[in-house]
Amino acid sequence: GDSVTQMEGPVTLSEEAFLTINCTYTATGYPSLFWYVQYPGEGLQLLLKATKADDKGSNKGFEATYRKETTSFHLEKGSVQVSDSAVYFCAPGNTDKLIFGTGTRLQVFP
Amino acid sequence: DTGVSQDPRHKITKRGQNVTFRCDPISEHNRLYWYRQTLGQGPEFLTYFQNEAQLEKSRLLSDRFSAERPKGSFSTLEIQRTEQGDSAMYLCASSLVGGAINEQFFGPGTRLTVL
């Protein structure tokens, strides 16, 4: 069945460091790819998305590129802030549901 | 647009009791989804509706679970004879078919604790 593998957390960084959170997936067909973020005590929010190969999704300084050949959708940010501390979920999806990874907790210290 | 709302936000119940949760999607959205999230895990798909029709149910949804969306607007998720293993966050999401591909908007969740 469809599945997602995310890098284990927590990821601990100092403010202004570079962030990469790896995500690979297996899915039938040609899914859209999403990153969702869950801030402490809050619900899931869509961070960015890409709908076809080589598309780059971006939002709030975060970026991820849809790599069909490697079935990956790695999340990157050039300079993280303390306010980016949250749990990040990679999720491929088609028209009926999203498949979530286990999430990667990011902790950014000043 | 007030977003997806869920009620209640927290529910504590004793094992064996029945519980019902409600989800109100974004008003023009025709798809509604239920997910379950346990501590330290990502959300797991339970079921989804398009309008009032329930189109798919996960095998995670045992026969103690039932979901309805009677008028194609709000939805309810009922758990009968609750067990401690049912303790989790129950998330509702909605989307618009024909809009941005499967962009789902999530509610704040209902946290269930079964004692």
Side-chain angles (χ1 to χ4, degrees):
Chain A
D2 297 355
S3 65
V4 177
T5 302
Q6 287 184 234
M7 64 188 290
E8 294 279 332
V11 174
T12 303
L13 295 173
S14 297
E15 206 164 25
E16 299 183 2
F18 183 84
L19 168 71
T20 300
I21 299 178
N22 290 338
C23 169
T24 57
Y25 66 91
T26 59
T28 53
Y30 198 155
S32 297
L33 301 176
F34 303 86
W35 277 99
Y36 279 82
V37 59
Q38 192 168 35
Y39 297 102
E42 298 185 16
L44 282 166
Q45 300 175 25
L46 178 64
L47 179 61
L48 55 81
K49 64 184 180 187
T51 58
K52 60 183 187 295
D54 301 323
D55 264 3
K56 178 184 284 188
S58 61
N59 186 26
K60 300 181 180 180
F62 290 90
E63 294 182 338
T65 301
Y66 192 142
R67 299 292 187 198
K68 190 170 188 295
E69 65 278 9
T70 55
T71 61
S72 65
F73 193 51
H74 305 320
L75 183 69
E76 296 182 336
K77 186 174 186 181
S79 176
V80 293
Q81 305 300 310
V82 173
S83 58
D84 294 327
S85 297
V87 181
Y88 292 82
F89 293 95
C90 180
N94 50 35
T95 55
D96 57 7
K97 59 182 171 282
L98 295 169
I99 305 298
F100 286 89
T102 53
T104 302
R105 180 174 300 279
L106 171 65
Q107 296 174 327
V108 181
F109 293 96
Chain B
D1 180 1
T2 58
V4 179
S5 61
Q6 293 187 245
D7 183 69
R9 294 290 305 275
H10 303 273
K11 179 70 177 178
I12 299 173
T13 191
K14 294 182 179 179
R15 190 176 53 187
Q17 297 296 304
N18 298 344
V19 295
T20 301
F21 310 141
R22 176 179 171 126
C23 171
D24 287 88
I26 293 171
S27 58
E28 67 270 24
H29 284 185
N30 49 11
R31 286 209 171 174
L32 187 149
Y33 308 80
W34 286 98
Y35 293 83
R36 180 173 68 188
Q37 185 178 20
T38 53
L39 200 61
Q41 300 297 314
E44 296 172 296
F45 169 79
L46 293 178
T47 188
Y48 85 100
F49 294 83
Q50 180 159 325
N51 301 314
E52 65 275 11
Q54 188 173 18
L55 297 187
E56 185 175 347
K57 292 193 293 186
S58 163
R59 52 191 165 85
L60 292 175
L61 214 64
S62 77
D63 56 7
R64 295 185 298 105
F65 288 70
S66 62
E68 294 183 342
R69 195 183 183 199
K71 297 181 181 178
S73 56
F74 73 92
S75 175
T76 58
L77 178 68
E78 181 183 16
I79 308 174
Q80 296 181 325
R81 305 181 303 281
T82 52
E83 301 173 356
Q84 288 184 328
D86 297 332
S87 295
M89 178 76 84
Y90 289 83
L91 299 170
C92 177
S94 69
S95 70
L96 178 63
V97 174
I101 295 177
N102 204 31
E103 183 169 337
Q104 296 183 22
F105 296 83
F106 282 80
T110 294
R111 182 170 296 284
L112 172 66
T113 303
V114 181
L115 302 176

